[in-house]
């Protein structure tokens, strides 16, 4: 069944041609395959080509776009993690999805200024498969060249003691699109006819996808569409395999399983963005637009625990950053903050700005979970699996939902 058609554009001709060839070879491709091409094709993908841009002049905002405050606050959390690991001499911060290196620069600057002992010992490793982004990162981080290392993939990253950090990485991993017809699940594939891409329904053939579909709460209305992120499960398994002792800290946006698959969410969470506009479909501006889906936190936590990781905390960004600012050190920080920093802080923590849009999941390995400051106010959100449903606040004008 054809459930949507949109004309191809001319400015993404090379990438469209490559996707068309894959479709002709197989008859149709999963949306996960389409998304992989659109975002990560080595030459023409949105991220791999370097066309992805953040901030007011880019396609969307992130917490890093607000300014250096986000990295400064996270540097304090990393310092606490280092203390919890016994002030190791071989402490490594591994970042994945580093974009232009802005967050790494903010963290290292804050560590050099405010956490001298940590800065003297840490190494900062960026996992970056794309040369154009690595070159940008190297330029942005030139003053810290003696601290920075790169790996092209998690598999090439040496085992480490420390913390793996990612900010808005999982939402950009390729997802499978599925549809419930009232009796069974079908997968939405991408096909082509008359020079246009369109969706078709196919029987679910992937055993892992079938297994994940069994975890989606029922009943659901006929015609219900949603996403399943198998790549996120593979990713956390690889991270767990590289981490010897320490933490995994994930910042992203999403919901626990019950809210993610709520019956009223009939069209899923998939969105496409370009220049702060929500595009009508993933089949326009291919390779020039971001494609994203919210994170289903419960499955990620459950799979992480199967991989040997232990939950250390889960909360929203408002409570996480407020926890970091609590205590005498936070009072000193606020007392000395100028108007610009206070405006940035309000944007990061206010419930109607970014404070309730993002969540932080922390996992640990190799010891008892530490009582980290970022989760001191987590309350009933200690675990995605146990989180109660809560209303999802709307994003205010100027901060498009991504």
């Amino acid at each position: 069944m054809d459930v949507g058609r949109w004309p191809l554009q001319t400015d993404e001709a090379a990438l469209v041609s490559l996707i068309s060839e894959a479709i002709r070879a197989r008859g149709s491709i999963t949306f996960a395959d389409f998304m992989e091409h659109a975002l990560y094709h080595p030459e023409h993908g949105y991220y791999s080509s370097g066309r992805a841009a953040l901030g007011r002049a880019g396609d969307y905002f992130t917490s890093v776009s607000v300014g250096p405050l986000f990295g400064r606050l996270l540097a304090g959390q990393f310092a606490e993690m280092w203390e919890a690991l016994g002030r190791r001499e071989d402490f490594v911060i591994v970042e994945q999805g580093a974009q232009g290196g802005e967050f790494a620069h903010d963290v290292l600057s804050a560590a050099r200024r405010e956490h001298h002992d940590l800065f003297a010992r840490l190494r900062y490793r960026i996992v970056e498969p794309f040369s154009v982004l690595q070159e940008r990162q190297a330029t942005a981080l030139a003053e810290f060249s003696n601290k920075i290392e790169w790996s092209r993939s998690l598999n090439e990253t040496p085992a480490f003691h420390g913390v793996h950090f990612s900010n808005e990485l999982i939402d950009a991993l390729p997802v499978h699109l599925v549809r419930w017809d009232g009796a069974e699940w079908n997968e939405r594939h991408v096909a082509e006819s008359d020079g246009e891409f369109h969706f078709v329904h196919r029987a679910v053939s992937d055993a892992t996808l079938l297994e994940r579909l069994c975890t989606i709460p029922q009943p659901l209305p006929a015609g219900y569409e949603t996403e399943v992120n198998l790549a996120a499960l593979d990713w956390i398994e690889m991270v767990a395999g590289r981490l010897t002792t320490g933490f995994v800290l994930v910042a992203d946006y999403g919901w626990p399983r019950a809210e993610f698959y709520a019956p009223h969410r009939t069209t899923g969470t998939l969105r496409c963005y370009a220049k702060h506009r929500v595009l009508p479909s993933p089949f326009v501006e291919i390779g020039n637009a971001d494609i994203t889906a919210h994170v289903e936190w419960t499955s990620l936590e459950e799979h992480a625990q199967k991989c040997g990781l232990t939950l250390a905390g889960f909360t929203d960004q408002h409570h996480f950053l407020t926890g970091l600012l609590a205590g005498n050190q936070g009072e000193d920080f606020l007392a000395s903050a100028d108007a610009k920093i206070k405006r940035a802080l309000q944007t990061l923590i206010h419930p109607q700005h970014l404070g309730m849009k993002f969540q932080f999941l922390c996992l640990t390995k190799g010891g008892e979970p530490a009582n980290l400051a970022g989760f001191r106010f987590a309350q009933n959100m200690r675990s995605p699996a146990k989180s109660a449903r809560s209303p999802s606040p709307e994003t205010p004008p100027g901060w498009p939902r991504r």
Side-chain angles (χ1 to χ4, degrees):
M1 177 181 176
D2 186 346
V3 294
R5 292 173 177 268
W6 297 272
L8 301 184
Q9 304 297 305
T10 57
D11 57 353
E12 64 267 14
L15 184 56
V16 166
S17 178
L18 290 165
I19 297 172
S20 297
E21 289 176 11
I23 291 173
R24 285 194 293 270
R26 288 180 270 173
S28 66
I29 60 174
T30 68
F31 185 79
D33 287 337
F34 174 88
M35 191 170 170
E36 177 75 30
H37 276 87
L39 298 183
Y40 301 111
H41 181 275
E43 184 178 357
H44 304 295
Y46 173 72
Y47 285 109
S48 52
S49 65
R51 287 192 293 273
L54 312 181
R56 193 171 300 280
D59 296 315
Y60 52 86
F61 290 101
T62 74
S63 294
V64 178
S65 309
V66 176
L69 180 59
F70 184 69
R72 179 180 177 183
L73 294 175
L74 266 294
Q77 184 63 94
F78 297 153
E80 185 184 27
M81 290 172 169
W82 174 62
E83 295 280 354
L85 293 178
R87 299 170 64 93
R88 298 187 64 103
E89 296 286 338
D90 56 350
F91 185 83
V92 182
I93 298 173
V94 175
E95 184 186 0
Q96 197 169 356
Q99 293 285 357
E102 296 87 353
F103 176 79
H105 186 275
D106 297 341
V107 168
L108 289 167
S109 296
R112 180 174 60 187
R113 184 175 60 250
E114 301 169 11
H115 308 283
H116 309 291
D117 290 346
L118 169 63
F119 183 76
R121 293 164 176 80
L122 75 81
R123 300 291 299 173
Y124 202 108
R125 178 173 290 272
I126 295 175
V127 179
E128 183 52 70
F130 305 120
S131 299
V132 63
L133 294 181
Q134 184 173 328
E135 290 171 3
R136 291 180 186 175
Q137 293 157 10
T139 299
L141 296 165
E143 66 182 292
F144 299 110
S145 59
N146 64 327
K147 291 287 183 183
I148 299 289
E149 302 169 348
W150 280 270
S151 295
R152 294 192 64 84
S153 69
L154 278 174
N155 288 333
E156 295 180 13
T157 301
F160 66 97
H161 304 274
V163 56
H164 181 289
F165 176 76
S166 62
N167 178 50
E168 294 195 65
L169 172 71
I170 303 175
D171 66 84
L173 296 179
V175 295
H176 292 265
L177 300 186
V178 293
R179 184 177 187 273
W180 175 252
D181 67 7
E184 63 180 2
W185 289 101
N186 292 289
E187 184 167 8
R188 303 180 75 196
H189 280 224
V190 178
E192 182 186 14
S193 60
D194 300 326
E196 298 176 351
F197 290 147
H198 59 95
F199 284 120
V200 294
H201 293 160
R202 297 285 186 261
V204 180
S205 58
D206 185 283
T208 305
L209 180 56
L210 283 169
E211 180 182 349
R212 300 312 307 171
L213 292 173
C214 293
T215 69
I216 298 178
Q218 292 281 0
L220 294 170
Y224 183 93
E225 297 172 355
T226 190
E227 310 90 28
V228 177
N229 194 334
L230 298 182
L233 307 184
D234 294 337
W235 171 80
I236 196 63
E237 191 168 337
M238 286 189 287
V239 173
R242 296 291 86 198
L243 179 65
T244 302
T245 307
F247 302 88
V248 180
L249 186 60
V250 183
D252 222 311
Y253 51 90
W255 295 288
R257 180 183 291 141
E259 177 65 18
F260 188 97
Y261 294 119
H264 67 83
R265 207 174 301 286
T266 56
T267 58
T269 72
L270 190 79
R271 299 291 184 271
C272 305
Y273 294 94
K275 303 300 181 185
H276 302 285
R277 296 176 294 115
V278 179
L279 301 181
S281 90
F283 302 147
V284 297
E285 300 193 36
I286 301 171
N288 294 305
D290 190 22
I291 307 175
T292 175
H294 282 52
V295 178
E296 195 265 274
W297 291 110
T298 308
S299 291
L300 187 66
E301 178 206 348
E302 291 173 346
H303 196 69
Q305 296 200 52
K306 290 180 181 178
C307 297
L309 300 174
T310 302
L311 179 69
F314 177 71
T315 193
D316 56 79
Q317 181 162 296
H318 168 80
H319 286 91
F320 182 83
L321 297 183
T322 301
L324 295 182
L325 287 168
N328 294 331
Q329 185 175 0
E331 292 176 5
D332 294 341
F333 169 82
L334 292 172
S336 62
D338 60 23
K340 183 177 181 181
I341 292 177
K342 289 180 178 178
R343 286 195 300 270
L345 181 61
Q346 182 180 34
T347 299
L348 289 171
I349 69 173
H350 196 286
Q352 291 300 315
H353 285 245
L354 301 183
M356 297 301 290
K357 177 182 178 182
F358 293 97
Q359 299 84 46
F360 282 76
L361 174 70
C362 187
L363 305 152
T364 186
K365 183 178 182 181
E368 292 298 318
N371 293 317
L372 300 174
F375 299 97
R376 72 175 78 201
F377 301 131
Q379 300 176 348
N380 67 326
M381 294 185 72
R382 290 293 294 186
S383 167
K386 298 178 182 178
S387 296
R389 282 190 191 174
S390 58
S392 303
E394 292 301 316
T395 305
W399 293 93
R401 192 178 297 277
R402 173 192 174 278

